[in-house]
């Protein structure tokens, strides 16, 4: 049980405050760069946490996540280009306010709504995570196998696009996870007599390669964006304005809570859902789309709430629900930390640092956000080749610091090419990354289950939790497949109808 004096010691006896501010600062700057999402911002700094104290490393990554969610609103409001995916809904009314000469006010509303959402999300994180983690004590090896399969099937079926491509990406990730040493027998597999592969392919290399390097390749052929206005200053909303915005902020917080808890959910879904619900319950729905303050407050409160509540299933069961939480899970595993009740019992300092560091970052977000706006504007206005060169150098130096290995550089670069090809062909990244991250848990749980049962496959049907999880996984896949087939039939029918209409017009 964390006491007041434990918190005081964290704040005074450790470098937690500078770590939190540093993570927040990097998150805001990274989130402000269009195309550099929160997950990419976290993946860029992940290699540099390898030599850090685990508690400080996890707190740093969480604070980067918090900062990136706010930073994405800066270009969304100023140049109609969301810095992160979850800021896409903010573009609708944020840019309209900018066109009306109220950019500073829109940025202030975004900042304060983000602080409100972050504080609510952190409160839910503190209250719900540990109690839920104790449910994991009832889990046996078959249950953990079912949990891993559920996580992979949910993510593969809810990433949009083709279910087959999502499942194929997950299988590729599982295949990469089998490289190295067998977790049960200790036999080496798929190493091709390369000593560097004895420990397998580290998840951090997969994340950096697929997220960061792929994004650089994709942006290399795109045109430059409109420049930001250098003279913009944030104007924080007064008490009267905050009172007017409370309904939309509450909607954003509630939907952000549910989306954060939902596997496959995320800030983007929560932001658009809260925008629609805020318009439904608004006293002035006609202003939405034309420069509504509520249209900025609701999605910003939602996506900042998700930044904290998405950590609940991650810390409780080890199942990430988004790209960003997958990167954080990679950070936990990189430091030998396993989510669940044992994390709370054996490494309480990690949890305390994450909670307190997040709180420090949220409170500091107001001052740091106002101070960093000119720096963010300057950074975004730099020519694209210079920005890309800086990020590329940061990626390579971070990867090299992991094991001082040029082989790791080759792996990351190769995965960047794989990611680029996957993006061009419509394959999602997250199922593949989760396959790598969860592959060890899925395989080791499967093998341990068979060892305990003497090779009897019925062990998976004799565990009620495993059965429930496997049925849920099957349900998600069937639902997604049914929806995909229905949408395909509807699209073909619409195409045939349009073709018939055009044919009649041509004949007439």
């Amino acid at each position: 049980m964390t006491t007041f004096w434990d918190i005081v010691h964290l704040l005074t006896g450790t470098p937690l405050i500078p770590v939190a501010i540093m993570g927040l600062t990097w998150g805001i700057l990274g989130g402000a760069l269009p195309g550099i999402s929160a997950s990419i911002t976290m993946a860029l700094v992940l290699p540099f946490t390898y030599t850090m104290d685990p508690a400080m490393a996890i707190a740093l990554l969480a604070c980067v996540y918090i900062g990136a969610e706010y930073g994405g609103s800066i270009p969304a409001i100023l140049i109609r280009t969301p810095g992160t995916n979850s800021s896409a809904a903010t573009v609708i009314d944020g840019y309209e306010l900018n066109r009306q000469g109220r950019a500073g006010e829109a940025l202030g509303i975004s900042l304060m709504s983000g602080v409100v959402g972050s504080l609510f999300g952190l409160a839910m994180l503190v209250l719900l995570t540990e109690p839920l983690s104790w449910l994991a004590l009832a889990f046996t090896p078959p249950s953990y196998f079912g949990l891993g399969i559920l996580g992979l099937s949910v993510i593969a079926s809810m990433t949009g696009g083709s279910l087959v491509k999502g499942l194929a990406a997950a299988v590729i990730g599982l295949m990469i996870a089998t490289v190295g040493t067998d977790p049960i027998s200790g036999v080496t597999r798929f190493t091709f007599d390369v000593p560097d592969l004895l420990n397998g392919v580290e998840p951090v290399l997969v994340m950096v390669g697929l997220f960061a390097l792929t994004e650089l390749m994709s942006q290399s052929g795109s045109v430059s964006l409109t420049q930001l206005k250098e003279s913009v200053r944030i104007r924080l909303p007064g008490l009267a304005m905050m009172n007017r915005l409370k309904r939309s902020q509450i909607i954003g917080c509630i939907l952000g809570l549910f989306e954060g808890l939902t596997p496959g959910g995320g800030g983007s879904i929560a932001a658009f859902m809260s925008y629609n619900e805020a318009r439904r319950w608004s006293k002035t729905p006609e202003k939405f789309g034309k420069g509504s303050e509520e249209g900025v407050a609701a999605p910003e409160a939602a996506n900042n709430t998700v930044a904290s509540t998405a950590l609940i299933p991650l810390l409780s069961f080890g199942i990430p629900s988004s790209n960003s939480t997958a990167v954080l899970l990679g950070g936990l595993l990189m430091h030998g930390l396993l989510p669940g009740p044992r994390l709370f019992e054996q490494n309480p300092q990690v949890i305390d640092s994450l909670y307190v560091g997040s709180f420090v970052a949220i409170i500091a977000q107001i001052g740091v956000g106002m101070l960093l706006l000119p720096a963010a504007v300057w950074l975004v206005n730099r020519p694209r080749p210079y920005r890309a060169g800086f990020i590329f150098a940061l990626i390579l130096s971070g990867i090299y610091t992991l094991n001082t290995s040029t082989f790791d550089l080759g792996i990351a670069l190769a995965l960047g090419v794989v990611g680029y090809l996957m993006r061009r062909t419509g394959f999602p990244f997250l199922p593949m990354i989760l396959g790598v991250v969860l592959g060890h848990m899925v395989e080791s749980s499967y093998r341990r289950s068979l060892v305990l049962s003497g090779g009897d496959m019925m062990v998976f049907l004799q565990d009620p939790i495993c059965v429930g999880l496997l049925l849920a996984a099957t349900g998600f896949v069937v639902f997604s497949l049914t929806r995909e087939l229905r949408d395909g039939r509807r699209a073909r029918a619409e195409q045939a109808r349009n073709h018939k209409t055009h044919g009649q017009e041509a004949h007439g």
Side-chain angles (χ1 to χ4, degrees):
M1 181 71 179
T2 303
T3 65
F4 172 77
W5 297 113
D6 292 330
I7 296 175
V8 171
H9 174 69
L10 271 176
L11 294 175
T12 59
T14 65
L16 183 60
I17 292 180
V19 164
I21 301 298
M22 183 169 58
L24 176 70
T25 301
W26 170 246
I28 293 176
L29 293 176
L33 290 172
I36 307 299
S37 63
S39 56
I40 296 175
T41 306
M42 295 171 69
L44 286 174
V45 78
L46 181 59
F48 295 99
T49 66
Y50 186 73
T51 57
M52 293 177 62
D53 175 76
M56 296 299 106
I58 302 307
L60 175 69
L61 291 171
C63 294
V64 171
Y65 191 7
I66 292 170
E69 290 300 331
Y70 165 67
S73 67
I74 296 175
I77 292 170
L78 296 182
I79 59 173
R80 205 177 185 179
T81 303
T84 59
N85 295 333
S86 57
S87 300
T90 308
V91 170
I92 303 172
D93 282 288
Y95 186 69
E96 287 300 319
L97 287 171
N98 178 26
R99 292 180 60 188
Q100 298 168 16
R102 301 168 61 192
E105 184 179 348
L107 288 168
I109 292 172
S110 168
L111 177 57
M112 292 305 298
S113 299
V115 169
V116 170
S118 295
L119 288 173
F120 175 79
L122 180 60
M124 294 298 100
L125 177 66
V126 173
L127 292 174
L128 298 178
T129 305
E130 187 170 3
L132 286 176
S133 71
W134 289 102
L135 293 176
L137 289 178
F139 280 45
T140 59
S143 302
Y144 276 109
F145 170 76
L147 184 63
I149 295 299
L150 174 63
L152 291 171
S153 62
V154 168
I155 296 300
S157 61
M158 298 184 72
T159 49
S162 170
L163 171 64
V164 174
K165 289 182 177 179
L167 292 174
V171 170
I172 293 173
L174 290 172
M175 292 169 64
I176 294 175
T178 61
V179 175
T181 305
D182 186 290
I184 302 299
S185 66
V187 176
T188 57
R189 308 170 301 182
F190 311 117
T191 59
F192 305 101
D193 295 326
V194 178
D196 295 279
L197 289 177
L198 289 176
N199 292 325
V201 179
E202 296 191 44
V204 61
L205 300 179
V206 181
M207 294 174 191
V208 173
L210 291 185
F211 285 147
L213 289 173
T214 296
E215 185 62 33
L216 285 181
M217 294 180 187
S218 300
Q219 288 189 14
S220 62
S222 60
V223 297
S224 298
L225 298 165
T226 306
Q227 288 198 327
L228 298 177
K229 299 177 181 179
E230 298 272 2
S231 58
V232 175
R233 294 292 181 269
I234 294 176
R235 291 176 52 197
L236 296 179
L239 293 177
M241 176 61 72
M242 289 296 290
N243 187 56
R244 286 173 50 194
L245 298 175
K246 64 181 181 182
R247 180 188 290 107
S248 56
Q249 290 172 346
I250 291 172
I251 290 173
C253 290
I254 293 174
L255 290 176
L257 170 62
F258 284 105
E259 282 300 317
L261 293 172
T262 303
S268 302
I269 299 174
F272 279 105
M273 287 180 62
S274 62
Y275 181 87
N276 291 330
E277 291 304 312
R279 179 171 54 187
R280 186 198 307 272
W281 293 95
S282 174
K283 295 180 180 179
T284 55
E286 67 280 358
K287 289 181 62 178
F288 278 70
K290 301 176 182 178
S292 171
E293 298 88 350
E294 294 176 280
V296 174
E300 284 301 304
N303 61 42
N304 281 272
T305 299
V306 170
S308 293
T309 56
L311 303 185
I312 296 175
L314 171 67
L315 297 177
S316 298
F317 303 107
I319 300 297
S321 59
S322 64
N323 292 338
S324 301
T325 51
V327 176
L328 189 57
L329 177 59
L332 287 167
L333 298 179
M334 189 171 71
H335 288 279
L337 303 171
L338 297 177
R342 292 183 180 178
L343 179 62
F344 289 84
E345 283 189 342
Q346 299 175 1
N347 304 98
Q349 72 281 1
V350 173
I351 300 298
D352 294 342
S353 296
L354 188 150
Y355 290 165
V356 178
S358 297
F359 180 75
V360 170
I362 293 168
I363 299 303
Q365 189 173 349
I366 300 174
V368 174
M370 296 180 71
L371 291 173
L372 279 184
L373 181 61
V377 171
W378 180 88
L379 185 62
V380 175
N381 282 340
R382 295 311 92 199
R384 186 187 296 274
Y386 296 146
R387 293 205 316 262
F390 168 75
I391 294 173
F392 187 66
L394 187 67
I395 293 170
L396 295 185
S397 60
I399 293 171
Y400 187 75
T401 57
L402 286 175
N403 302 304
T404 60
S405 169
T406 56
F407 186 82
D408 288 350
L409 296 177
I411 293 257
L413 291 170
L415 287 166
V417 174
V418 170
Y420 181 77
L421 296 175
M422 288 176 65
R423 176 171 289 187
R424 298 283 293 182
T425 53
F427 282 83
F429 292 160
L430 187 54
M432 178 174 169
I433 291 172
L434 282 190
V436 176
V437 172
L438 297 179
H440 178 77
M441 182 186 80
V442 171
E443 182 187 11
S444 60
S445 299
Y446 176 80
R447 299 281 297 280
R448 287 193 183 100
S449 300
L450 293 181
V451 169
L452 292 174
S453 65
D456 186 3
M457 296 290 291
M458 291 300 294
V459 67
F460 299 105
L461 300 181
Q462 294 169 353
D463 188 301
I465 297 179
C466 179
V467 172
L469 293 171
L470 292 177
L471 287 176
T474 304
F476 275 108
V477 172
V478 171
F479 172 77
S480 179
L481 183 60
T482 303
R483 182 184 59 187
E484 189 174 320
L485 293 174
R486 184 178 65 248
D487 292 344
R489 285 196 301 267
R490 187 178 302 165
R492 287 192 296 271
E494 184 68 23
Q495 185 178 8
R497 188 160 47 248
N498 292 337
H499 181 72
K500 182 179 180 181
T501 302
H502 291 317
Q504 291 175 348
E505 291 176 353
H507 182 71

